[in-house]
Amino acid sequence: MAVAKLIGIETEYGIISGGPESDPITTSTLLVNAYASGLAHHIGWDFEDESPGRDARGAPRPGSLAPMVETHLANAVLTNGARFYVDHAHPEYSSPECATPLEAVLYDRAGEEVLRLAMAAAKERYPAAPEIVVYKNNSDTKGNSYGTHENYLLSRDVAFVDVVAGIVPHLVTRQIFCGAGKIGAETPVFDEVPDYQISQRSEFFEEIVGLETTLKRPIVNTRDEPHSDAQRYRRLHLILGDANMADVSTYLKLGTTALLLAMLEDGALPSDDISLRDPVKAVRSISADPTLRCCVETEGGRQLRALDIQLVLCDATAKYVESEGGTALGDTSIAADVVRRWQETLEALEHNPDSLISQVDWIAKKRILDAFQDRHSLDPGDSKLRAMDLQYHDLRPERSLSERVGLERLVSKEAIVEATTKPPRTTRAWFRGSCLARFPQEVVSANWDSLVFDLGSDPLRRVPMMDPLRGTAEHTEQLLREVRSAQELVARLET
Amino acid sequence: MAEREQKHRTPERSDSQETANDESTQGVGDQGERNDKLKADLDDLLDEIDEVLEENAEEFVRNYVQKGGQ
């Protein structure tokens, strides 16, 4: 039986301030601190259990570079259960653990709102400084890429080698409905430079499996840092995806991947010949072909389009949800909805891709680029078009182009604003966020799987939260209502 | 706008009278109107993009440099 597919999504945002001479680490730190200083009480991150160098394949590989944990940069835990901090040279928002892909869309959009509030806070605090502007994209168009990482809760019972074999065909081909699109190419991997790519990230991937995130990026990351009970769970960390502006793209990216992972646990993945002979080459060639006609070779020697592989996966998933209900997605109606939208999207990609202008980022962006180029008779490499490519992802409503293309919205503005401070009720993020809101003086630090309380005279008390499915509103709302102090809460938890 | 829609509708209606398969012809008519609507929307959208696009596109693109990402 598949475990609940809790989902988290982390976004490293692009950031600029004034000219190229500005230091992105300083700018990102100003931005995060401007937001954090406006909160009731700034609660830091607890690095006690961080181990990003642990490899799911066992012993560390020779020459592998584990990501660094930077403890000195700005770091805040938010009452919605998220983490907002400076990672490398970018502001990063890591969403709280969410129980459904729709909830994950909401908390991803809440992250955009947090960044907008942070831009406003920085402007207010440093009125004379150059404006800080944030972009939700994955490349600077000059060969530098930054990530949007997905996390899924998995059962420890599935062997990692099966995870890789099972999910790679999907990861390579799903970009046709969740790519964010971009003009041209930034790496020397193509024999012929494409005019337009479906995905921002695909060309940066060089390995099938690996631990690195900044060099030799792998399609499946092996970081084995479950942030939960390692006997029972894995956290699958995927670094391949694009940051999406379109809700439907995010929803389908997370929903389809989560369902296929549940099927992997239940032994329900299709046995068709869809494993790819060269996944790294395939992910790039699919990205480089917005006509969706290019074929990639399977292990069995067949030539298939990305759409053909997606149709196989989608059909198998529809059957699985019909027979099993798809309860791993938190709600059977969500699983059915993901399948329905997936089917409709593939159908539209086959027959009328332009009809997806409100649902799929790479199509929306391409449509406005083509039309703008026509109207002004521009050369394909014109800097106005390149500016549009970036400005599609500008988070300022007055500048954002994605705000203007009429994207279909799955979550309301009101719900997004509420989600910037209120945690999801259905995971341990609820306990984390609620304790932060309720006891801002006593919670001295937090991380994904514990909270640290300072109760005065005693040593600091760590409250472990090793099961991401506990600490929900259902489990702890009553308790939090009953206790009158943090001391009483910790005492009750220890009995 | 209303006049333009009217002009487009007239021939489609006569088409449907000549065709046994009303349903598919109706679909084509709807598609024609939808395309007109999309084109008008797109024109408005392009006007708006002209207004909000970074003034010095070349400098903006050149200065957009992001190092140190995962």
Side-chain angles (χ1 to χ4, degrees), chain A residues 17-266:
Chain A
S17 171
E21 69 286 349
S22 72
D23 171 37
I25 299 176
T26 309
T27 312
S28 301
T29 306
L30 285 179
L31 183 80
V32 172
N33 283 339
Y35 183 77
S37 65
L39 303 174
H41 185 69
H42 182 175
I43 292 158
W45 190 256
D46 172 17
F47 290 95
E48 179 71 20
D49 296 323
E50 300 275 311
S51 53
R54 197 173 297 149
D55 196 313
R57 297 165 299 183
R61 306 280 147 146
S64 68
L65 285 176
M68 305 261 290
V69 177
E70 296 163 302
T71 57
H72 59 289
L73 299 173
N75 233 306
V77 194
L78 310 182
T79 54
N80 71 354
R83 180 185 180 196
F84 182 39
Y85 63 118
V86 179
D87 193 18
H88 300 267
H90 299 269
E92 174 160 340
Y93 168 91
S94 299
S95 82
E97 305 89 331
C98 297
T100 76
L102 188 58
E103 200 168 64
V105 169
L106 175 65
Y107 281 89
D108 180 54
R109 295 287 309 285
E112 293 175 15
E113 188 63 19
V114 165
L115 268 295
R116 270 189 287 274
L117 292 167
M119 283 192 274
K123 205 172 187 173
E124 197 180 314
R125 214 167 159 197
Y126 311 103
E131 183 182 16
I132 298 175
V133 186
V134 173
Y135 295 80
K136 191 187 184 196
N137 61 2
N138 300 104
S139 104
D140 68 356
T141 70
K142 298 165 190 72
N144 301 308
S145 184
Y146 33 102
T148 300
H149 299 174
E150 299 148 61
N151 300 290
Y152 301 89
L153 190 69
L154 273 188
S155 164
R156 183 59 68 168
D157 294 341
V158 184
F160 194 74
V161 60
D162 295 334
V163 177
V164 176
I167 204 65
V168 163
H170 183 56
L171 296 181
V172 168
T173 53
R174 66 177 191 172
Q175 56 184 318
I176 60 175
F177 57 75
C178 59
K182 70 175 174 186
I183 296 170
E186 309 168 57
T187 65
V189 301
F190 296 104
D191 295 333
E192 194 181 332
V193 178
D195 293 334
Y196 187 81
Q197 285 193 71
I198 284 173
S199 159
Q200 301 217 330
R201 285 283 273 179
S202 290
E203 67 173 308
F204 293 101
F205 284 75
E206 299 175 56
E207 308 273 346
I208 301 170
V209 185
L211 188 57
E212 289 83 357
T213 53
T214 55
L215 293 163
K216 294 200 169 193
R217 293 184 181 92
I219 292 171
V220 178
N221 189 274
T222 56
R223 183 183 298 184
D224 191 6
E225 193 185 19
H227 294 311
S228 61
D229 180 353
Q231 301 295 314
R232 296 165 62 199
Y233 299 120
R234 289 183 187 282
R235 174 180 63 114
L236 183 63
H237 184 63
L238 298 177
I239 67 168
L240 178 75
D242 286 1
N244 289 113
M245 307 309 295
D247 287 1
V248 176
S249 288
T250 306
Y251 179 65
L252 280 177
K253 172 174 67 183
L254 302 174
T256 58
T257 307
L259 272 172
L260 288 164
L261 290 170
M263 289 161 70
L264 172 73
E265 289 169 333
D266 285 340

Side-chain angles (χ1 to χ4, degrees), chain A residues 12 14-15 20 87-90 135 137 140 142 144 146-147 201 213-214 372 375-376 391 396 399 404, chain B residues 31 42-43 45-50 52-54 57-58 60-70:
Chain A
E12 291 177 6
I15 185 166
D87 193 18
H88 300 267
H90 299 269
Y135 295 80
N137 61 2
D140 68 356
K142 298 165 190 72
N144 301 308
Y146 33 102
R201 285 283 273 179
T213 53
T214 55
F372 195 85
R375 172 186 271 202
H376 296 289
Q391 218 175 312
R396 296 170 299 177
R399 288 286 187 172
R404 290 173 163 73
Chain B
Q31 187 68 46
L42 197 59
D43 281 340
L45 177 59
L46 293 178
D47 289 342
E48 226 181 306
I49 292 175
D50 275 329
V52 302
L53 195 62
E54 294 286 347
E58 200 174 333
F60 164 61
V61 172
R62 192 174 52 239
N63 287 348
Y64 190 89
V65 177
Q66 305 287 319
K67 292 204 168 135
Q70 290 210 57

Side-chain angles (χ1 to χ4, degrees), chain B residues 2-5 14 16 19 25-28 36 42-45 47 55 58 60-62 65 67:
Chain B
E3 197 184 335
R4 192 173 66 174
E5 279 176 10
S14 64
S16 73
T19 316
T25 319
Q26 187 59 46
V28 173
D36 278 354
L42 197 59
D43 281 340
D44 291 346
L45 177 59
D47 289 342
E55 277 173 23
E58 200 174 333
F60 164 61
V61 172
R62 192 174 52 239
V65 177
K67 292 204 168 135

Side-chain angles (χ1 to χ4, degrees), chain A residues 297-359:
Chain A
E297 191 177 359
T298 65
E299 292 271 18
R302 294 197 297 165
Q303 296 287 330
L304 298 178
R305 298 171 307 157
L307 251 171
D308 299 324
I309 294 172
Q310 279 295 313
L311 287 166
V312 170
L313 293 169
C314 183
D315 283 352
T317 308
K319 289 193 185 92
Y320 170 78
V321 169
E322 208 169 295
S323 66
E324 308 289 323
T327 48
L329 260 59
D331 183 337
T332 51
S333 67
I334 293 267
D337 187 56
V338 167
V339 168
R340 181 184 58 80
R341 278 196 176 267
W342 192 4
Q343 288 167 329
E344 287 171 2
T345 303
L346 296 181
E347 175 84 13
L349 285 168
E350 184 81 89
H351 300 291
N352 186 12
D354 275 356
S355 66
L356 294 169
I357 184 169
S358 303
Q359 285 82 28

Side-chain angles (χ1 to χ4, degrees), chain A residues 405-451:
Chain A
V405 296
L407 294 176
E408 179 184 352
R409 291 308 186 193
L410 302 181
V411 289
S412 71
K413 180 78 185 166
E414 295 71 35
I416 292 167
V417 169
E418 186 175 294
T420 61
T421 55
K422 297 271 194 309
R425 295 177 60 81
T426 44
T427 69
R428 68 180 170 195
W430 197 86
F431 185 70
R432 181 187 310 119
S434 300
C435 284
L436 257 57
R438 174 85 189 277
F439 304 116
Q441 300 303 323
E442 289 87 355
V443 178
V444 290
S445 65
N447 65 24
W448 299 116
D449 52 25
S450 67
L451 286 177

